[in-house]
Every structure is written in C-alpha cells, then in structure tokens.
C-alpha cells in the first residue's frame, strides 16, 4: 500500500494528540519538515559527546555544561549497561546467589537516566536515545549481561534458546535476543522482560518533550525487530497522550543500499531518518550520497540526522580507513551545509567527541546557524552554481536571491553564479578553526563573483543581501 502523504500524516497526528503540550515536543518543523522544531521554534541540532551511554558518565552535568557553552544542543544516549570504563552499572537488581532478577531494578541506573533527561531539558539539549544496541549482547559483554540465562534467576537457556556464549561480532546476527518478537521467533519467555525494560525507559522519557527514539544502534538484523519496537513504543506513547518521533539506524555504509529503504520508504512508520553510517564515506562521495538520500525522500520529506560522525586520529591509526579528524570535521560541515537536521561527532576513539577540536567546530556551526537561514535554504545538490570547482573544493547552500553560504573544506577558490540574484550583498568570512567572522566587503549580484578562501583550512563565505 502506498504511504499516506507526509503532510496528511503530520496533520492527522496533530489532530489526534490529546497532549496540550504536544506542540512543544521535538517534532518536524511545521514550515520545513526536513528540520526539527522544539518548543515551537526551529532548531538545528549540533553535538559531540564523550560516551555512547552518556547517562552513565560520572561528570555528566559538567559535560553538558561544556556542550551547551559552545552552542551544542544534541546528544546521543544508548541505554547500554555494559561495563567498559568501570563506572557503568546494570539496569536490573539482584536476587539470590548474586544473580540478577529481571523483575527488579537497579535504582542507581535509573536515577542516572533521570538526571540526563532533567539536565538536558534544563539546557535545551535534545536527546536521541537508542533503545537497543547489538554490542550489549554478544562477545564478552554477553558474559556479564543480565539477560544471559546464566546470570539471572528468571529463566534458563532451555526455556529461552539463549546460549551461554555468542563470541562472534554481532553483525553476524547470531543472537536470538533480537528475534524474540512475534513476527520472528515469538519468544514468549524472553519478550515480556524486554517489554518491561522498554516500559521502564518510557516511564522516564515520556515525561519530557526533547527526546527522539531510535530503535537500534547500526543494526543489520531483520527489519521486523525494529518495526515491532517502533509500533510498541508509539502505542505506549499514544496511550500516555504523547507524540513522539522514531527511526531505525542501519549498519550499511551505502545509503543507496536496501537496508536503508526500510526507513526511507516508510514515512508512516519512521518519522525521521538517521544515516550516521554515511560518515564512513569520504569527501565528494559523502556529499553525493547524502544528497541522493535527500532527493529520494523528497515526496515525504523528513529530518535526516547524523548522530555519529566517525573520524579521529586514534581511529585512523586503528583501522587505516582514513577516517581521521579532518575527515570528521569535513563530514560535520557537509552535513550542515547539505541540509541535515542534526550533526554530531562520535565518541572517542572512533570520533573526536567533545574534544577542543570538536568544540571549535560546534561553536562555528552555531555561529553560522545564527547568521544563515538554514530553515529556508536548499543545498546546491550538484554544485551547479559553483564554477571552476574541483571535487570536494566547495559546497553551497542558499536562500535564492537572499543568502549564499559556501563551505571550503581546505582553502581554495571558486566562482559563484549570482545571475539569479540582483542587488548588493555583504560578504563575511567565517574562520571555522578560530570561530571568528571577518568582513569581506560588498559584492554586486546579477553575475558571477569570485570567492577565494582567506587561507588554508576550513572556511565559510556568507553572502547576505542588503539591497
């Protein structure tokens, strides 16, 4: 069945919502559904943090203060409890023989989660949670997992079909934990405990307006798993009178691949898209694939998020894929100029997190967002307005006739076709590394103008019409 038109769905949801505060919730921007709005105002989401399960870190409030101070307003939070740094704790309480009881909760875990929601709300920081993470339930993490039958008092391996070990990478989809839903294995022993965990998460999140819901972290599993939890969570939210926004995140690096069609082709199911894995793609291909995705969903436009931008010097040294810190920062800017609704640096060692480098780019991204009208702009998809341009030399977004923002990943110069734009324009240069504006004088429209970055490194030229 062909999906219902997006705007019809949007209006229908609005009419059906019983929650009078629903207009304040994070939701697609009414005037341009490719972006978000929160508290009734459009919002470009920018971020970078140190951890996946952010609510578990001991200095959380200070970390949020730092993010907020540089203009960040977006964090990722997996509901993970696997012990990596040593300060993480489990979600469940313990019964006899030092085994977990999945009918009880570890209140400290949930207090940490409550703190995250409270402190981000106070700072106008949007939280994108991932309900399930495949890395929590395989390899060495499975050995300490409360859902492992060897670790709890609630069920046995024979009753659930869950084995004592899953030593392989979770991308092999060997773990029956992710097949428990009715459309797959219909594991009536395991599923109620999974539902109880999700219910507990929702008991906290549905109190707040600033939470986005992603079913999984970079899954390559059966789509029926995520579809089940998407419907389950939406049903619970509707019963509570809350409108929420949901997505699924796929592992496939090529956004043109079949996995991503499960979200692209289902706007009635998933109200936004996360293509974090596109940040594995380099330079021009990174831009081209993102623009292909924007065009593909044009009939039913939705926000496109990138909650993980890979790339750091530590990461490049580890896997030799060339996704270093320069790659990460360039992806961040191609996302912004390319019309993404969110852009966030992945945590170390696979990303630059909220390092000083990340801070400068987030700060500069916010400076541009305060000066350029992203919410009424369109990226120059095939760079048709940029002449004498080489691959990855420059990228353009514009409000036709009013504003033109050209991003230079590493110096260089191009010619900008302003034949569509009569009048005078003020030119300003944003030094991204230094988070500083400089005056570039006045330019006359109606023809082609040359733009040459003031130096090497990353720059944005901003032309704003003044007459």
């Amino acid at each position: 069945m062909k999906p219902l038109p997006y705007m019809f769905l949007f209006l229908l949801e609005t009419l059906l919502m019983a929650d009078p505060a629903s207009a304040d919730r994070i939701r697609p921007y009414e005037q341009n559904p490719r972006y978000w709005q929160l508290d009734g105002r459009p919002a470009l989401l920018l971020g970078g943090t140190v951890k996946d399960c952010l609510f578990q870190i001991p200095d959380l409030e200070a970390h949020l203060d730092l993010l907020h101070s540089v203009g960040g307003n977006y964090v990722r939070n997996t509901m993970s409890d696997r012990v990596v740094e040593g300060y993480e704790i489990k979600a469940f309480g313990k019964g006899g023989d030092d085994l977990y009881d999945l009918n009880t909760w570890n209140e400290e875990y949930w207090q940490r989660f409550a703190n995250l929601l409270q402190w981000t709300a106070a700072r106008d920081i949007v939280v994108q949670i991932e309900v399930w993470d495949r890395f929590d339930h395989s390899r060495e993490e499975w050995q300490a997992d409360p859902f492992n039958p060897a670790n709890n008092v609630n069920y046995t391996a024979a009753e659930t079909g869950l084995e004592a070990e899953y030593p392989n990478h979770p991308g092999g989809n060997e773990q029956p934990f992710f097949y428990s839903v009715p459309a797959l294995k219909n594991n009536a022993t395991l599923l109620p405990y999974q539902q109880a965990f999700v219910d507990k998460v929702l008991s906290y999140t549905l109190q707040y307006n600033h939470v986005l819901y992603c079913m999984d972290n970079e899954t390559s599993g059966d789509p029926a798993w995520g579809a089940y939890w998407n419907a389950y969570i939406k049903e619970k939210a509707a019963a509570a009178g809350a409108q929420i926004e949901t997505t699924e995140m796929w592992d496939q690096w090529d956004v043109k691949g079949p996995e991503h069609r499960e979200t692209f082709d289902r706007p009635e199911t998933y109200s936004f898209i996360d293509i974090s894995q596109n940040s594995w793609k380099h330079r021009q291909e990174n831009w081209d694939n993102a623009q292909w995705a924007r065009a593909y969903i044009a009939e039913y436009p939705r926000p496109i998020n990138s909650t993980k931008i890979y790339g750091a010097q530590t990461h490049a040294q580890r896997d030799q894929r060339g996704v270093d810190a320069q790659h990460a920062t360039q992806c961040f800017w191609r996302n912004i100029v390319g019309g993404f609704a969110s852009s966030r640096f992945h945590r170390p060692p696979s990303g630059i997190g909220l390092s000083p480098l990340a801070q400068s780019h987030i700060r500069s991204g916010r400076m541009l967002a305060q000066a350029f009208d992203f919410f009424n702009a369109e990226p120059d998809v095939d760079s048709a307005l940029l002449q004498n341009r080489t691959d990855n030399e420059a990228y353009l977004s514009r409000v036709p006739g009013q504003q033109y923002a050209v991003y230079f990943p590493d110096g260089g110069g191009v010619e900008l076709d302003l034949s569509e734009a009569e009048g005078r324009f003020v030119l300003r240069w944003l030094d991204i590394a230094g988070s500083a504006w400089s005056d570039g004088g006045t330019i006359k429209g109606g023809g082609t103008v040359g733009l040459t970055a003031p130096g090497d490194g990353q720059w944005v030229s901003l032309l704003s019409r003044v007459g």
Side-chain angles (χ1 to χ4, degrees):
M1 183 178 71
K2 185 176 181 179
L4 293 172
Y6 176 86
M7 291 308 298
F8 175 81
L9 286 169
F10 185 86
L11 293 171
L12 180 62
E13 284 186 337
T14 302
L15 290 171
L16 293 177
M17 290 311 304
D19 181 8
S22 62
D24 296 332
R25 290 186 178 274
I26 184 76
R27 64 195 302 180
Y29 180 36
E30 291 179 355
Q31 297 181 35
N32 182 356
R34 290 188 182 276
Y35 286 95
W36 293 110
Q37 72 176 51
L38 179 64
D39 294 327
R41 299 186 299 273
L44 177 65
L45 306 185
L46 305 176
T49 44
V50 72
K51 187 74 172 173
D52 291 342
C53 51
L54 189 64
F55 74 115
Q56 296 264 21
I57 69 172
D59 58 344
L60 174 59
E61 195 164 17
H63 198 60
L64 295 174
D65 282 339
L66 176 59
L67 176 65
H68 180 70
S69 73
V70 298
N73 61 348
Y74 178 55
V75 299
R76 173 190 184 223
N77 187 74
T78 63
M79 297 307 304
S80 301
D81 58 10
R82 64 182 185 271
V83 177
V84 178
E85 306 288 345
Y87 48 68
E88 300 91 347
I89 57 176
K90 302 296 183 180
F92 298 96
K94 286 192 173 181
D97 298 325
D98 202 36
L99 296 175
Y100 290 100
D101 182 352
L102 303 184
N103 291 312
T104 64
W105 305 110
N106 182 347
E107 293 305 325
E108 175 60 22
Y109 173 98
W110 296 103
Q111 184 58 56
R112 293 181 183 186
F113 187 46
N115 289 342
L116 171 73
L117 297 172
Q118 178 184 347
W119 294 341
T120 50
R123 292 161 177 81
D124 295 320
I125 295 173
V126 171
V127 180
Q128 182 170 319
I129 68 167
E130 287 156 33
V131 181
W132 304 109
D133 187 343
R134 61 185 183 169
F135 291 98
D136 293 344
H137 307 290
S138 290
R139 301 186 295 194
E140 62 271 17
E141 288 80 11
W142 182 242
Q143 303 310 305
D145 193 336
F147 283 105
N148 187 328
N151 298 331
N152 68 59
V153 300
N154 305 97
Y155 49 65
T156 66
E159 290 171 330
T160 59
L162 296 173
E163 298 178 5
E165 296 184 0
Y166 293 99
N168 298 325
H169 188 284
N173 297 310
E174 300 170 355
Q175 169 59 286
F177 183 91
F178 296 100
Y179 290 83
S180 62
V181 300
L184 299 173
K185 298 296 185 181
N186 195 23
N187 191 327
T189 301
L190 174 60
L191 184 59
Y193 294 106
Q194 294 172 322
Q195 291 171 331
F197 176 77
V198 172
D199 290 346
K200 186 71 170 176
V201 171
L202 296 176
S203 72
Y204 290 91
T205 60
L206 292 180
Q207 301 176 51
Y208 291 90
N209 291 345
H210 66 301
V211 181
L212 299 172
Y213 297 82
C214 182
M215 301 305 106
D216 291 276
N217 172 40
E218 58 185 48
T219 182
S220 59
D222 194 302
W225 162 266
Y228 172 84
W229 290 110
N230 181 75
Y232 183 89
I233 289 170
K234 281 187 171 180
E235 181 180 351
K236 294 289 183 176
Q243 175 180 315
I244 63 169
E245 311 301 332
T246 63
T247 195
E248 180 65 286
M249 185 201 300
W250 301 100
D251 187 38
Q252 192 167 39
W253 295 3
D254 183 1
V255 297
K256 300 177 183 178
E259 287 183 2
H260 293 280
R261 304 299 172 90
E262 295 294 331
T263 45
F264 291 174
D265 292 347
R266 291 170 172 76
E268 76 284 3
T269 301
Y270 296 114
S271 57
F272 72 102
I273 288 164
D274 193 298
I275 54 172
S276 293
Q277 299 304 94
N278 187 56
S279 68
W280 284 108
K281 298 296 185 179
H282 293 254
R283 298 170 63 84
Q284 188 71 43
E285 186 180 15
N286 172 258
W287 169 274
D288 290 343
N289 284 9
Q291 295 309 307
W292 178 91
R294 288 186 86 252
Y296 187 88
I297 65 168
E299 187 176 0
Y300 309 107
R302 286 159 284 163
I304 295 179
N305 284 6
S306 180
T307 194
K308 294 186 296 185
I309 297 175
Y310 296 95
Q313 297 309 121
T314 50
H315 198 274
Q317 293 165 4
R318 186 182 72 187
D319 60 24
Q320 302 302 309
R321 290 172 181 150
V323 283
D324 57 13
Q326 183 182 58
H327 167 86
T329 56
Q330 290 188 9
C331 283
F332 180 82
W333 284 93
R334 281 189 292 262
N335 286 352
I336 296 172
V337 174
F340 276 43
S342 83
S343 198
R344 173 195 164 271
F345 295 112
H346 196 22
R347 50 91 184 128
S350 298
I352 61 175
L354 194 53
S355 64
L357 178 62
Q359 292 171 41
S360 68
H361 283 266
I362 295 168
R363 184 184 295 111
S364 294
R366 187 59 61 198
M367 290 171 66
L368 180 61
Q370 291 169 345
F372 179 69
D373 185 8
F374 278 107
F375 308 113
N376 286 299
E378 280 291 328
D380 186 17
V381 176
D382 54 4
S383 302
L385 296 181
L386 298 179
Q387 300 173 6
N388 296 322
R389 172 192 178 275
T390 60
D391 277 2
N392 198 50
E393 185 177 15
Y395 300 94
L396 167 68
S397 182
R398 84 279 194 197
V399 183
Q402 299 300 317
Q403 285 191 305
Y404 297 81
V406 182
Y407 164 59
F408 293 86
D410 190 10
V414 296
E415 294 181 334
L416 172 62
D417 181 0
L418 288 180
S419 58
E420 66 176 5
E422 301 287 343
R424 293 183 302 114
F425 292 81
V426 169
L427 171 62
R428 302 169 69 196
W429 285 97
L430 176 60
D431 175 1
I432 292 174
S435 299
W437 287 105
S438 60
D439 186 6
T442 302
I443 288 178
K444 182 180 179 181
T448 299
V449 300
L451 296 172
T452 300
D456 295 334
Q458 300 184 55
W459 296 84
V460 173
S461 65
L462 177 62
L463 286 79
S464 300
R465 183 169 178 163
V466 291

